[in-house]
Amino acid sequence: MFGWTLHGDGRDVAPGEVVAPGERLRWPATAAMGVQHVVAMFGATFLVPTLTGFPVPTTLLFSGIGTLLFLVITRNRMPSYLGSSFAFIAPITAATATGAIGSALAGIVAVGLLLTVVGIVVQVAGVRWVDTLMPPVVAGAIVALIGFNLAPTAWGNFQADPAAATITLAATILGAVLFRGFLGRVSIFLGVAVGYVCAIAAGAFDVPNSVTGITPAQAIADAAWVGLPEFHAPDFAEPGTWSTLAMFLPVVLVLVAENVGHIRGVATMTNDPSLNAHTGRALIADGLSTTLAGAAGGSGTTTYGENIGVMAATRVYSTAVYWVAGFAAILLAFSPKIGAVFNSIPPGVLGGVTTALYGLIGIIGIKIWVDGRVDFSRPVNQYTGAVSLVIGIAGFSLQIEGFEFGGIVLGTVAALVIYHLGNFIARARRTGADDRPVLPAP
């Protein structure tokens, strides 16, 4: 499994060449690139637990463990870093608003187990049925409504400190527009850093927490440099947990789309179609990683688009890089002080960055429509997108015998039902028209 061959002289990558998953550069360069991947994914990975109130070090720990697990299950053939998935933000936020963290963790575990089952089915039956169930118009709608459904949360944090939020948002956008390469890919991290510094200058560090009564500066100073992450267990017995699970299930569809897209992207860029055969294993690995994270207090995981960007820029697809990245994330997880720094980020700063971030999640869904060349002249495609998005953005809800279904669940169901039922009716109508006898002309 660890028999990488040295690419060329191990120092340079010639124009037009790539470092394949089974190859590597010299170890100093490999180690540096592994750390670079952690930094590139760090902004997104820490943001999910920060927004949802989950412990940051715990999420980092299972991000690293999940990455190593992914490499083992895919037989060290598929390069990927597993970070915390944005798709979990909405259901976790809703779950923790009405209950304890244990209820949200139960939802994460349920998603992980279901994704594992999907991976087993794909491994046995192939991935074609996924494309049939979730064509681009449906997949794009589900991803988009998850992002847009979070808009009210961003506005709530934005109002906490409009000045810090505006500075953070502006810095994030300018970072993405002005910088190229690595700095452009970590624009979210840079935006948070700028907003964080401005908030400190404005005195945010001297304001005591309304619950603990401790200022952020004191909380960071008191935190140890080295220590165990904070662990929590899922609680399936908590009242309302089974209703909460329904909000998490649509996330499975998003994770399937993200993993399938990642595998296809890497296979295309390395010109190695055989990597597509690992799709089932990738889904199983992500499912098990998410299950482990939810079982101990971390957020659910997924493959990252930032992976594709960094690999495309460096042309290095070596899995050795990801072994380094996984171990680096695990080491960072054992620093409570790092967690205290992230927990001290003011709500206004989070409001600014999430205004961009949640919108970007929505845009990713729209990009799926564009890449899939969805024909919106067809009424069934129009209504699949239109109805599901309005349901998600408006936050429709439905209560049935103690179970509450939110906008993400209802929007997902609407997209699936409208598309498949609409196409069934269209096919039946065409068949019926073809079966009618042709009458002779008078």
Side-chain angles (χ1 to χ4, degrees):
M1 178 180 289
F2 302 108
W4 297 285
T5 58
L6 196 65
H7 179 85
D9 62 2
R11 298 180 184 275
D12 302 308
V13 183
E17 293 185 356
V18 299
V19 179
E23 298 178 325
R24 65 169 177 85
L25 298 177
R26 294 184 182 272
W27 281 116
T30 297
M33 289 183 178
V35 174
Q36 175 180 261
H37 271 288
V38 175
V39 174
M41 264 62 75
F42 203 68
T45 298
F46 89 78
L47 197 57
V48 174
T50 300
L51 294 174
T52 57
F54 275 33
V56 174
T58 310
T59 296
L60 277 176
L61 173 63
F62 286 100
S63 173
I65 292 174
T67 297
L68 302 184
L69 183 65
F70 187 94
L71 293 170
V72 170
I73 293 178
T74 59
R75 297 179 177 179
N76 208 30
R77 291 289 310 282
M78 181 53 59
S80 181
Y81 180 94
L82 295 189
S84 47
S85 172
F86 294 143
F88 284 96
I89 295 176
I92 289 176
T93 302
T96 54
T98 58
I101 189 175
S103 178
L105 292 174
I108 294 173
V109 170
V111 169
L113 292 174
L114 184 54
L115 182 61
T116 303
V117 172
V118 172
I120 294 172
V121 174
V122 170
Q123 185 67 20
V124 173
V127 76
R128 186 182 298 273
W129 68 273
V130 175
D131 297 330
T132 302
L133 175 66
M134 265 197 326
V137 63
V138 174
I142 294 172
V143 174
L145 69 88
I146 286 178
F148 294 144
N149 179 262
L150 294 164
T153 303
W155 174 234
N157 284 325
F158 200 103
Q159 290 175 298
D161 188 345
T166 301
I167 291 172
T168 302
L169 178 59
T172 300
I173 296 173
L174 287 175
V177 173
L178 291 176
F179 298 124
R180 293 290 181 268
F182 174 74
L183 289 178
R185 285 189 291 275
V186 296
S187 60
I188 290 176
F189 183 80
L190 293 177
V192 172
V194 171
Y196 188 78
V197 171
C198 291
I200 292 175
F205 259 33
D206 300 324
V207 179
N209 185 282
S210 59
V211 177
T212 64
I214 301 175
T215 65
Q218 188 61 46
I220 294 173
D222 292 342
W225 280 104
V226 179
L228 289 175
E230 179 183 351
F231 296 109
H232 297 274
D235 187 357
F236 288 90
E238 183 177 335
T241 294
W242 293 100
S243 176
T244 300
L245 294 182
M247 296 186 295
F248 282 85
L249 296 183
V251 175
V252 176
L253 302 178
V254 179
L255 298 184
V256 169
E258 289 176 339
N259 277 276
V260 171
H262 181 87
I263 300 299
R264 289 176 176 173
V266 174
T268 299
M269 290 188 292
T270 58
N271 195 28
D272 185 1
S274 67
L275 293 178
N276 287 313
H278 294 276
T279 300
R281 291 181 176 274
L283 292 170
I284 294 171
D286 193 9
L288 292 177
S289 173
T290 295
T291 303
L292 285 175
S299 187
T301 60
T302 187
T303 53
Y304 263 26
E306 287 89 338
N307 283 159
I308 299 294
V310 174
M311 287 188 289
T314 62
R315 289 177 289 137
V316 176
Y317 299 85
S318 171
T319 54
V321 170
Y322 287 94
W323 282 96
V324 174
F327 282 116
I330 292 172
L331 288 175
L332 284 173
F334 288 93
S335 178
K337 194 174 288 289
I338 291 177
V341 170
F342 290 127
N343 288 334
S344 68
I345 298 175
V349 175
L350 296 178
V353 73
T354 53
T355 297
L357 178 63
Y358 296 161
L360 287 175
I361 298 173
I363 294 301
I364 290 172
I366 295 174
K367 184 177 183 296
I368 292 175
W369 288 344
V370 175
D371 293 343
R373 299 180 180 179
V374 176
D375 182 6
F376 279 108
S377 67
R378 297 188 62 213
V380 66
N381 289 341
Q382 293 173 359
Y383 284 105
T384 296
V387 175
S388 61
L389 284 184
V390 168
I391 290 174
I393 294 170
F396 281 34
S397 63
L398 175 66
Q399 289 188 345
I400 302 177
E401 297 181 358
F403 287 85
E404 183 172 352
F405 304 95
I408 293 178
V409 176
L410 298 178
T412 298
V413 172
L416 290 167
V417 170
I418 292 173
Y419 177 81
H420 290 290
L421 182 59
N423 277 291
F424 174 79
I425 294 172
R427 286 193 299 269
R429 185 178 59 185
R430 286 196 299 270
T431 301
D434 293 341
D435 290 344
R436 286 196 298 268
V438 179
L439 300 177

